[in-house]
Amino acid sequence: MKILVLNGSPKREKSDTMHITRAFLDGMKDEAPQEVHIVNIIDKHIEFCTGCFICKRNGGECIHNDDMSALLSEVLESDLLLMSYPLYAYGMPAPLKVFIDRTMPLSSMAMKKQGDRYVHVGQADFSHLRYMMICGCGFPNSKHNFEPVVTQFKLMFPSNHTIITVPESPMFNAPEAAEVTVPRLALVRQAGKQYAGTGAIDNDLLAEICSPMISEDMYAAICNGEIK
């Protein structure tokens, strides 16, 4: 499988969330060989979308001459688009949002009804693509944190999507937390192997991965310096 990983964290390879993503990719490789390309979005030259819609009227050519054209070509050549990023203000980090905004050339101005909503008609064939979101956050719980970004991802990619959200993710960058993070990453690796084999992750396994690693109160106390 050809996998394009878009790392949306400004921390690049030091991203808390990338620990989760790397474990997932290792699990996929356990099942079968994978062709993986990781792109740190922060290092790419991507101009802001101006909303001129020229790309939607001229077959997909943008007015900007930057790295986005090559990235879109790679997206269309991939089998799995995996977006890995930390939760910023209940959404994705700004550099990744700029990338998403600049995917406008993939669709035209024409609209069609799909289910109970309207979508733009594509100018490119990306029906083969599968989509994955791996998102971590620094809060100790998932409720009232991930809902906006999960809704956004599902609306952007209404089919063939898989979503992993992990609270307490800064613990993955803390060696002293290995007692709980190592077993959790083992579960993520198991999920990657499962996904590579079946295209899905067992609901019970996914729920365990997305749950807090330690009690919410203890995590908050550690973050607040109350527990050394």
Side-chain angles (χ1 to χ4, degrees), residues 1 130 132 160-162 191-202:
M1 182 182 294
R130 287 193 274 173
M132 174 164 289
N160 300 324
H161 63 248
T162 302
K193 181 178 174 67
Q194 197 175 91
Y195 183 84
T198 67
I201 303 171
D202 179 76

Side-chain angles (χ1 to χ4, degrees), residues 12-182:
R12 301 175 176 85
E13 68 277 356
K14 294 180 180 179
S15 161
D16 302 330
T17 308
M18 278 301 293
H19 286 275
I20 308 165
T21 299
R22 283 190 290 265
F24 188 86
L25 292 170
D26 286 343
M28 292 190 71
K29 293 172 186 175
D30 289 341
E31 177 66 20
Q34 311 291 339
E35 182 181 344
V36 180
H37 182 206
I38 298 175
V39 174
N40 295 317
I41 290 295
I42 193 72
D43 293 329
K44 295 298 180 180
H45 174 206
I46 304 176
E47 294 286 345
F48 294 113
C49 177
T50 65
C52 66
F53 299 130
I54 289 175
C55 65
K56 290 186 176 296
R57 296 187 174 97
N58 68 359
E61 186 175 345
C62 182
I63 61 170
H64 295 303
N65 182 20
D66 55 14
D67 292 334
M68 196 62 197
S69 178
L71 285 171
L72 285 179
S73 295
E74 189 169 359
V75 166
L76 295 174
E77 293 168 0
S78 300
D79 302 303
L80 173 63
L81 182 62
L82 195 166
M83 298 186 186
S84 172
Y85 52 94
L87 192 69
Y88 275 33
Y90 305 103
M92 60 182 64
L96 186 57
K97 180 57 167 62
V98 173
F99 169 88
I100 291 294
D101 290 347
R102 288 286 306 283
T103 60
M104 294 271 274
L106 297 179
S107 61
S108 66
M109 288 298 292
M111 300 179 188
K112 64 179 179 180
K113 194 166 187 179
Q114 192 173 78
D116 58 356
R117 68 173 186 154
Y118 283 86
V119 298
H120 286 286
V121 176
Q123 293 193 114
D125 181 13
F126 41 90
S127 58
H128 63 286
L129 263 173
R130 287 193 274 173
Y131 309 93
M132 174 164 289
M133 179 184 90
I134 297 180
C135 184
C137 83
F139 282 119
N141 64 322
S142 296
K143 291 181 179 179
H144 309 300
N145 285 317
F146 289 113
E147 291 90 344
V149 77
V150 167
T151 298
Q152 181 189 42
F153 196 83
K154 287 181 176 179
L155 286 170
M156 291 189 301
F157 311 112
S159 60
N160 300 324
H161 63 248
T162 302
I163 296 172
I164 297 176
T165 57
V166 182
E168 304 177 344
S169 62
M171 293 177 68
F172 292 110
N173 262 328
E176 61 271 25
E179 183 179 348
V180 293
T181 57
V182 170

Side-chain angles (χ1 to χ4, degrees), residues 198-210:
T198 67
I201 303 171
D202 179 76
N203 286 335
D204 290 338
L205 176 58
L206 189 59
E208 189 171 2
I209 290 170
C210 298

